[in-house]
Amino acid sequence: MKAIFLDRDGVINRYPGDGKYVTSWKEFKFLPKAKKAIAKLYKNRFKIFVISNQAGVNKGIFSQNRLDFITKNMLKAIEESQGKIDKVYYCTHRQQDNCSCRKPKAGLMHLAKKQYQVNLKNSFFIGDTIRDVKTAKAAGCKSILVLSGKEKLSNRKNWETQPDFIFSNFYKATEFILKPK
């Protein structure tokens, strides 16, 4: 089964800024055409997963209940736009916890693979950071870096690894994925 893995902040919704978090539904702002991109992928029979680090929970910046409320509203808005996310996977650990689920480790992607029989080789991970690219490579899937969040093309010479593809945003990446080969 083919799947699309999505980072959340900077891909689906507006990136809150370095060291900052989306701590309420009011702060969650969908990026242009993000819901439309999800709807197109869903219509084309992709399984769609969100893989996102949300350490703000364990740092005490916002609660698990607040994160769940934001997620519930995000999923509802996506479904109202004829899209569907099959599952949202969050790592709420801090970096120093050294868990297997925090990106750039691929633990959450392997969990999705096991739970949904995903073929990672035929899947894409779309993210806005080099950490997301490293996660894709660790899981063995294709990486797409979108420039709608944290990372900037002007920083390319400093990237530890290169993405397979680069697009300005999630919608452009979706058009590429769906283009007949």
Side-chain angles (χ1 to χ4, degrees):
M1 174 183 313
K2 57 189 179 174
I4 304 292
F5 295 91
L6 302 169
D7 178 42
R8 194 189 78 177
D9 302 340
V11 177
I12 297 172
N13 60 288
R14 195 166 54 219
Y15 178 64
D18 292 351
K20 296 191 175 130
Y21 298 90
V22 174
T23 61
S24 69
W25 177 241
K26 196 178 83 184
E27 293 174 8
F28 187 100
K29 304 289 181 216
F30 280 99
L31 285 168
K33 292 186 165 180
K35 290 184 282 189
K36 191 182 242 184
I38 293 168
K40 280 182 119 175
L41 291 167
Y42 174 66
K43 197 177 99 189
N44 281 276
R45 293 183 151 75
F46 279 89
K47 286 285 185 198
I48 305 167
F49 305 101
V50 171
I51 306 282
S52 179
N53 290 346
Q54 293 293 327
V57 171
N58 273 331
K59 290 178 179 177
I61 296 168
F62 53 96
S63 67
Q64 181 67 52
N65 284 345
R66 180 80 58 95
L67 179 60
D68 293 344
F69 182 75
I70 293 167
T71 303
K72 186 179 80 157
N73 283 296
M74 174 186 77
L75 294 174
K76 184 174 174 239
I78 288 167
E79 286 180 13
E80 287 169 355
S81 298
Q82 275 68 59
K84 181 178 184 235
I85 290 179
D86 291 277
K87 179 108 180 178
V88 176
Y89 295 94
Y90 290 129
C91 171
T92 57
H93 299 106
R94 293 169 301 175
Q95 194 167 346
Q96 59 265 35
D97 295 334
N98 199 27
C99 63
S100 64
C101 60
R102 185 173 170 81
K103 295 182 297 182
K105 292 180 183 166
L108 292 176
M109 293 179 73
H110 290 300
L111 185 59
K113 174 187 174 180
K114 195 168 127 187
Q115 291 177 339
Y116 290 86
Q117 287 73 55
V118 171
N119 180 336
L120 291 172
K121 272 200 325 254
N122 292 336
S123 299
F124 290 90
F125 189 114
I126 302 173
D128 69 318
T129 67
I130 295 305
R131 174 186 290 152
D132 296 324
V133 172
K134 289 165 95 173
T135 305
K137 291 184 185 297
C141 74
K142 295 180 255 331
S143 61
I144 296 179
L145 179 70
V146 292
L147 303 172
S148 52
K150 180 181 175 76
E151 196 53 67
K152 304 291 173 247
L153 205 50
S154 58
N155 197 32
R156 189 175 196 162
K157 65 183 181 312
N158 299 319
W159 296 350
E160 299 165 51
T161 188
Q162 294 295 316
D164 295 309
F165 307 99
I166 302 173
F167 295 97
S168 57
N169 60 53
F170 174 27
Y171 190 81
K172 295 269 190 223
T174 298
E175 288 181 321
F176 166 77
I177 292 166
L178 297 177
K179 194 168 53 179
K181 306 289 183 266

